[in-house]
Amino acid sequence: MAIQSKQSSLLPVYLIAGEDELKRETVMKRLFARLSKMGDMSFNFSGLTCTGEEVITAANTLPFASEVRLVLVNDVDKLKKADSELLIAYLKEPCETTVLALEGQKVAKNTRLYKAVSAFGSKAIIDCAPFARKDLGNAVRSIAVGHGITLTQGAAATLIDLVGTNTVALDAELKKLSLSHR
């Protein structure tokens, strides 16, 4: 059940879940960039305020002048149970021209929504769990390379000690370092 495109196949649904905000942002940027080349990006919802019916209506609407439409639901873990159940029902027969991206911090693996998404395969679930403290130094060094700078292991550890373990804050500080020390 994958959407066929000129670039590669896409699944009809993705669950981007985890407490690491930077990872979730990165995944969403990549998905948006991939689909913006061929898709209609007009529907974004918040799980705090939308209804399941609104999301399903958007997902079942054919894309305008494109192959595929991205429907994004932020804070999917904040959806009311009845709205979540409507999404689960939609996932039994999703629209072939829609990619439904469900993004949230805490979506338990034992929920019906998680199980409905996982039925589309392991690539449908994108885990954005925070890095373990022991792995955070290597992650910071990798993020730094993305900003065009190189850090030693000691420098990465010092930055973590000063800034904390929030990857968004670490990324912001690395951006500042890259701009001031080119």
Side-chain angles (χ1 to χ4, degrees):
M1 246 192 187
I3 297 170
Q4 295 300 319
S5 73
K6 294 173 187 168
Q7 295 176 342
S8 66
S9 63
L10 292 166
L11 297 175
V13 65
Y14 292 95
L15 175 62
I16 300 100
E19 295 179 20
D20 191 319
E21 187 178 348
L22 183 63
K23 283 183 184 178
R24 287 194 327 267
E25 285 176 10
T26 302
V27 169
M28 290 309 303
K29 283 178 187 173
R30 287 181 181 165
L31 184 60
F32 187 82
R34 183 175 176 193
L35 290 173
S36 66
K37 295 174 185 169
M38 63 179 148
D40 180 359
M41 304 291 145
S42 57
F43 291 102
N44 294 320
F45 297 98
S46 169
L48 296 168
T49 58
C50 74
T51 65
E53 189 174 317
E54 291 171 324
V55 174
I56 292 168
T57 298
N60 284 325
T61 302
L62 294 175
F64 178 72
S66 63
E67 294 177 49
V68 67
R69 159 171 283 147
L70 174 65
V71 176
L72 169 63
V73 181
N74 293 307
D75 300 316
V76 71
D77 48 334
K78 306 285 194 275
L79 274 175
K80 294 176 184 167
K81 183 173 171 76
D83 296 319
S84 180
E85 291 296 323
L86 288 173
L87 291 181
I88 293 165
Y90 164 81
L91 291 175
K92 291 178 182 170
E93 197 173 323
C95 181
E96 293 179 9
T97 58
T98 298
V99 174
L100 179 61
L102 307 172
E103 182 266 332
Q105 270 193 354
K106 297 179 181 180
V107 181
K109 292 180 180 181
N110 63 349
T111 62
R112 288 176 32 88
L113 182 60
Y114 187 98
K115 291 175 182 177
V117 174
S118 67
F120 289 91
S122 61
K123 291 183 179 182
I125 307 284
I126 302 168
D127 184 17
C128 297
F131 291 101
R133 177 70 186 211
K134 65 181 179 66
D135 299 327
L136 192 55
N138 288 333
V140 166
R141 293 179 72 199
S142 177
I143 294 169
V145 169
H147 291 298
I149 58 176
T150 304
L151 295 179
T152 65
Q153 194 67 26
T158 301
L159 185 64
I160 293 166
D161 290 341
L162 293 171
V163 176
T165 59
N166 182 312
T167 54
V168 172
L170 288 164
D171 182 56
E173 294 304 317
L174 288 167
K175 282 179 188 173
K176 290 177 195 175
L177 285 170
S178 72
L179 291 173
S180 63
H181 296 287
R182 286 232 179 243

